[in-house]
Amino acid sequence: MSSSVPLLRAIDELSANPEQLAAVQESGHCVVLAGPGSGKTKTLTTAMARALAEDVADPRGVACITYNNECAIELETRLGRLGVATGDRAFMGTVHGFALSQVIAPYARCVPVGLTADFRVATRGESRAAVETAYAIAIGGIDDPHRRWSFASEKRRRDVDRSRPEWRGRNPGLATFVEAYESELRRQGLIDFDDMPLLAYRMIKEHAWIRDALRARFPVLFVDEYQDLGYALHELVLLLCFGGGIRLFAVGDADQSIYGFTGANPELLESLTARRDVRTIRLRFNYRSGGRIVRASLGALGEERDYREVAGAPEGELTFWSVPLGHCMQAQAVADTVIPKLVEKGIALDEVAVLYRAAYLGDKVALALKQAGIPFVRTDGNAIVRRSSRLARFIEDCARWVVGGWRNAEPRFGRLLGQALTLVYGRHASDHEEQRLSDQLMGFLQATIGFSGSTHEWLHRFDRELIAGWRASARNLEQEWDVCAEMIGNTDPARNLDIPLPHFAGRVEGTGRVSLSTLHSAKGREFDAVVMYGVNASDFPSERDKRSATSLREARRLFYVGVTRPRKELSLVFQEHHHSPWVIELYARSQG
């Protein structure tokens, strides 16, 4: 496959940055340490496209493992602009999706892993019931089984290789609990999400021919946001890349590791950079933020880094908003003062984000914005749309088509059909199945053009006319049909949550929507202006953060992630005489 014009143009654009160009052209194991705004995604997708064009002969391909489905969708979009369509030659998805679709589904029938031919992914309710059954068998007593399971689950994610002595040597009671839980799932023909990479690891480790088959199909493995992906992914990488002959290209930033509660550990990324057989490349230039924001971010992190703004970039602005009382009054100040001031400076509402530590704080901001008549969209735990869900994104895209996107093919029907086929049938559907699903989807979309009801009513109709039938015929093992029911609950008019369908679809004429997000959900995103709300001494750091040096360090990284989101302006809102101590460090560094 020869290099396409878009790819050649992308490589040429990187020539001004020697680190990016070196990463894209590297033909051995490579780890790219990419700070905020350093062009990480552009570097990753260009490297993938170049590998497919120059290093990997058709029909072989590459695999890219991402933190969540939202990241995968973004990478797929970027690759499409370089002339690469994901499919047989380019897998794009989470570590769970890779394990399920590339290892378990094709090979589980060939090796003894305890799965029935018709196994499926357990629902949340089935998993909880299996925990309770396993607790009664393995432990007993009157304690809360789910509280104990939180510890067992952590051990399960950490101790991936159960042939090592620490599996039984370190808290054997939890090991017994995990094994009883997995046995109960298998008895019912089920696996859960944490099972996926664990089973894949065991299958690959115990059967060299599976490792060979993966290398034959995917001679290069790309990993995005390595610091967030945890022990199972790391063990898979060691097995496939440093024991199985697959080339590794990993991108990450230990300073942005903020998912310790899911098992992520920045030391795993750092251990790769210490290997002699891995080339480490650090991207130093921040293309996103002005110099003052870049300097402030280092104050927020509390450590020195060799990051610099691009020559000629605006300095950027920092503003500090001291409010007399607590969270409610701070939310009111955001709605009544901070956001209007940003709009006066010419910043569009859809380029403004309000960031906070927890979803309940988002409730306070949402109420204040609603009272002020400022439209918003939430991407936190109380959002209508779960951003990491492919089904939720598909439903939102369908709403965009219905409320006006059909006029200019935005999104294209072909894209919607492709999403639906993947959701229902995985990657392979017959011509008859494709035609039938196409007719169903187009029939629904055309029937709801000009829909005069609310989002809640439209979602009910979507669930009744499409989801019900698709659920019954689906072959995709990674099902998430309950997401539609969640969205219906999240627009409940009885709780004053319902909104007009054009608002849900992001098509409110003449106005954009302010983004409300937790700091965790904002990672990887960027805006012209960011308002960090609730930057109080009791919130940054919280008492819980202070319990250990590890949790305090992660809280500091979380603060850093928020500070590095804006392109032009960062506004910090806090209680008068009660601001975070990190604000002082941030301010002092920004003046340097």
Side-chain angles (χ1 to χ4, degrees), residues 310-364:
V310 177
E315 272 287 271
E317 290 189 56
L318 269 67
T319 58
F320 301 86
W321 301 86
S322 177
V323 180
L325 296 175
H327 290 126
C328 290
M329 185 168 283
Q330 291 168 51
Q332 203 66 49
V334 169
D336 295 345
T337 307
V338 182
I339 291 177
K341 288 288 186 183
L342 293 172
V343 172
E344 284 178 15
K345 294 178 180 180
I347 296 176
L349 286 179
D350 56 5
E351 284 294 347
V352 176
V354 183
L355 309 183
Y356 36 82
R357 288 209 67 168
Y360 82 91
L361 295 173
D363 295 341
K364 299 179 187 299

Side-chain angles (χ1 to χ4, degrees), residues 169-477:
R170 188 167 56 198
N171 207 326
L174 292 182
T176 301
F177 190 6
V178 169
E179 290 165 353
Y181 167 76
E182 291 174 346
S183 294
E184 178 60 19
L185 287 184
R186 301 297 178 272
R187 187 184 67 78
Q188 301 179 55
L190 301 172
I191 63 173
D192 70 3
F193 277 92
D194 282 344
D195 260 327
M196 295 175 191
L198 298 176
L199 279 173
Y201 173 81
R202 286 174 221 157
M203 290 169 65
I204 295 167
K205 184 173 187 289
E206 294 169 11
H207 303 280
W209 65 269
I210 296 179
R211 193 158 60 244
D212 293 341
L214 288 170
R215 184 179 67 249
R217 186 172 185 191
F218 301 123
V220 187
L221 174 65
F222 292 85
V223 183
D224 187 23
E225 303 287 8
Y226 197 99
Q227 76 283 348
D228 293 333
L229 287 160
Y231 291 89
L233 180 278
H234 186 65
E235 293 289 349
L236 278 171
V237 163
L238 295 180
L239 197 58
L240 290 171
C241 300
F242 302 106
I246 293 176
R247 189 174 104 205
L248 174 67
F249 186 102
V251 179
D253 181 10
D255 292 337
Q256 296 185 73
S257 179
I258 57 174
Y259 294 102
F261 58 92
T262 67
N265 184 343
E267 293 177 2
L268 301 179
L269 173 63
E270 292 166 349
S271 72
L272 291 182
T273 66
R275 295 182 62 105
R276 290 188 174 184
D277 52 354
V278 173
R279 182 181 181 185
T280 299
I281 297 173
R282 183 181 294 277
L283 304 184
R284 296 171 298 152
F285 288 98
N286 185 322
Y287 292 92
R288 175 188 302 156
S289 306
R292 193 175 181 207
I293 295 175
V294 172
R295 294 192 298 273
S297 71
L298 297 180
L301 183 64
E303 295 184 22
E304 264 319 305
R305 296 289 183 268
D306 185 25
Y307 295 142
R308 59 195 69 176
E309 71 276 18
V310 177
E315 272 287 271
E317 290 189 56
L318 269 67
T319 58
F320 301 86
W321 301 86
S322 177
V323 180
L325 296 175
H327 290 126
C328 290
M329 185 168 283
Q330 291 168 51
Q332 203 66 49
V334 169
D336 295 345
T337 307
V338 182
I339 291 177
K341 288 288 186 183
L342 293 172
V343 172
E344 284 178 15
K345 294 178 180 180
I347 296 176
L349 286 179
D350 56 5
E351 284 294 347
V352 176
V354 183
L355 309 183
Y356 36 82
R357 288 209 67 168
Y360 82 91
L361 295 173
D363 295 341
K364 299 179 187 299
V365 180
L367 178 61
L369 294 185
K370 205 167 192 177
Q371 291 171 342
I374 299 174
F376 61 88
V377 58
R378 298 185 68 166
T379 58
D380 58 22
N382 291 339
I384 295 174
V385 177
R386 192 198 300 174
R387 305 303 297 182
S388 62
S389 162
R390 286 185 180 268
L391 177 58
R393 297 292 291 272
F394 169 66
I395 293 172
E396 190 177 39
D397 283 345
C398 287
R400 289 172 58 210
W401 194 95
V402 163
V403 301
W406 58 273
R407 292 190 182 93
N408 56 0
E410 180 52 45
R412 293 180 299 104
F413 177 74
R415 173 184 163 189
L416 296 177
L417 178 59
Q419 289 174 287
L421 287 167
T422 300
L423 287 165
V424 179
Y425 298 116
R427 295 192 175 270
H428 302 287
S430 68
D431 291 343
H432 173 71
E433 288 169 335
E434 181 172 342
Q435 186 59 55
R436 183 178 61 187
L437 193 143
S438 176
D439 292 343
Q440 292 171 345
L441 179 59
M442 180 55 78
F444 172 80
L445 294 176
Q446 289 185 326
T448 57
I449 288 176
F451 185 76
S452 59
S454 68
T455 297
H456 186 74
E457 294 166 324
W458 184 83
L459 288 170
H460 262 298
R461 187 167 172 179
F462 193 102
D463 190 52
R464 183 174 64 251
E465 297 182 22
L466 291 181
I467 297 296
W470 291 355
R471 182 196 294 260
S473 59
R475 287 200 303 272
N476 184 3
L477 292 171

Side-chain angles (χ1 to χ4, degrees), residues 471-485:
R471 182 196 294 260
S473 59
R475 287 200 303 272
N476 184 3
L477 292 171
E478 222 177 334
Q479 295 179 25
E480 49 181 12
W481 303 115
D482 291 342
V483 166
C484 190

